[in-house]
Amino acid sequence: MRERRAGPRAGGIPLRAVVPNAITALALCVGLSGVRFAIAGKWDLAVTMTVIAAVLDGMDGRIARALRGQTRFGAELDSLSDVIAFGVSPAIIVHLWSLQQWPRFGWLFALAYAVCMALRLARFNARIDVEDQPHKSAGFLTGVPAPAGAGLLLLPIFLWVASDGRWEWLRDYRLITAWAALCAFLAISNLATFSWGSLRLRRNIRLEAIVFIAILGGALVSAPFETLSFAAIVYLAFIPFSIASYAKVKRQRVRAAPPLPLGEPVSALETERPARRRRPPASAPSE
């Protein structure tokens, strides 16, 4: 009788990884459902689906780490889900809401955003094993992450719904084309942005933070679109501060670095040293 192999089958998914991967797939379905509601003209439900997808996207990684169900399959599925939920779906929603008023060229700006989001996630996957990542090692992200990028793109719709459709000027395709171009640039840029995972609260303000989170949760229930608009505007306003904060960290690293050997230029040291790679991780955080 042949002995059975003790280990899992090659290419199989561990049982503990089923739950986080199912949540990732659910985020994809919810995000894509926003297109269905956009086609029906239910704009509040369309953008709500994207927000729910962002919440699910933030949950799957934490559940995977809690269950020790992190796999490379889950990391790849997460990126594919992000492309659909935060790249393709918001682009179509914005096109149906405003950009289709510019029949010949409006669709190009929606495509540009979706392509830039796909390029961002492809860059993230390509650099996932590279150790030399200055932004990541300092606790920053490179560019605006996918869920935040989708929230920024949908900000005009948040404001329009919050005004009960009175601010019709927000649907002007000339405004939305420029806004979509800006969001696409932020997604693929090399700008340093704050990472939520690296934030650490001081001991003396933790109670205040709990109160603030509770109030924010109540605001989301009572005035959801006003609160989402406020959150997106605050996030956008914090980008210059994140850039300045990373520049400060970069200067501190330069001062703390050991002196270079005499007679050897900096460019030679940087170009001759190959990028170090580490062993592929079980999974990676969402971008």
Side-chain angles (χ1 to χ4, degrees):
M1 179 181 294
R2 289 166 46 182
E3 295 183 0
R4 296 181 180 178
R5 292 187 299 175
R9 292 183 300 173
I13 302 176
L15 182 61
R16 60 180 178 274
V18 171
V19 172
N21 289 334
I23 294 176
T24 302
L26 179 61
L28 187 155
C29 295
V30 172
L32 194 57
S33 297
V35 177
R36 172 182 176 272
F37 290 112
I39 294 174
K42 300 178 180 179
W43 307 112
D44 53 343
L45 292 177
V47 296
T48 300
M49 293 297 104
T50 304
V51 174
I52 295 175
V55 174
L56 294 173
D57 181 72
M59 292 172 53
D60 57 3
R62 289 169 175 80
I63 293 176
R65 288 188 288 273
L67 298 177
R68 296 183 179 179
Q70 300 163 292
T71 61
R72 191 57 183 263
F73 173 86
E76 297 294 337
L77 178 62
D78 186 76
S79 293
L80 292 173
S81 173
D82 288 354
V83 171
I84 300 298
F86 308 121
V88 176
S89 181
I92 296 177
I93 292 173
V94 170
H95 176 263
L96 294 175
W97 182 69
S98 170
L99 292 179
Q100 65 177 348
Q101 299 174 18
W102 196 10
R104 296 183 60 185
F105 300 103
W107 177 241
L108 295 179
F109 286 86
L111 285 178
Y113 171 82
V115 170
C116 287
M117 191 60 68
L119 291 175
R120 170 187 174 77
L121 293 165
R123 179 182 64 181
F124 173 75
N125 285 349
R127 298 172 60 184
I128 195 172
D129 300 330
V130 178
E131 289 186 355
D132 297 330
Q133 298 189 50
H135 289 168
K136 185 177 180 181
S137 62
F140 293 84
L141 297 175
T142 302
V144 173
L152 290 179
L153 181 68
L154 297 176
L155 175 58
I157 305 182
F158 293 157
L159 293 170
W160 180 80
V161 175
S163 69
D164 293 328
R166 291 190 298 269
W167 294 353
E168 196 64 24
W169 56 272
L170 288 169
R171 301 185 71 170
D172 190 337
Y173 69 87
R174 290 164 293 190
L175 172 65
I176 302 304
T177 51
W179 184 249
L182 174 63
C183 294
F185 165 76
L186 292 175
I188 62 172
S189 68
N190 288 321
L191 300 177
T193 57
F194 287 123
S195 172
W196 294 108
S198 64
L199 295 179
R200 297 292 183 271
L201 292 176
R202 298 178 182 177
R203 292 181 179 273
N204 58 341
I205 63 170
R206 291 182 179 178
L207 290 178
E208 291 83 351
I210 294 175
V211 173
F212 175 77
I213 293 173
I215 294 175
L216 183 63
L220 280 172
V221 174
S222 59
F225 294 101
E226 291 83 349
T227 306
L228 291 172
S229 302
F230 173 77
I233 293 172
V234 169
Y235 179 84
L236 188 65
F238 264 92
I239 292 179
F241 294 98
S242 65
I243 296 172
S245 179
Y246 176 71
K248 181 180 179 181
V249 173
K250 191 176 180 180
R251 289 193 298 268
Q252 292 174 349
R253 287 184 170 184
V254 171
R255 288 195 295 265
L260 296 174
L262 295 176
E264 191 164 7
V266 178
S267 59
L269 290 175
E270 293 179 348
T271 55
E272 291 178 4
R273 184 181 65 182
R276 294 176 296 171
R277 287 184 173 269
R278 53 192 167 100
R279 297 177 62 184
S283 66
S286 173
E287 269 281 298

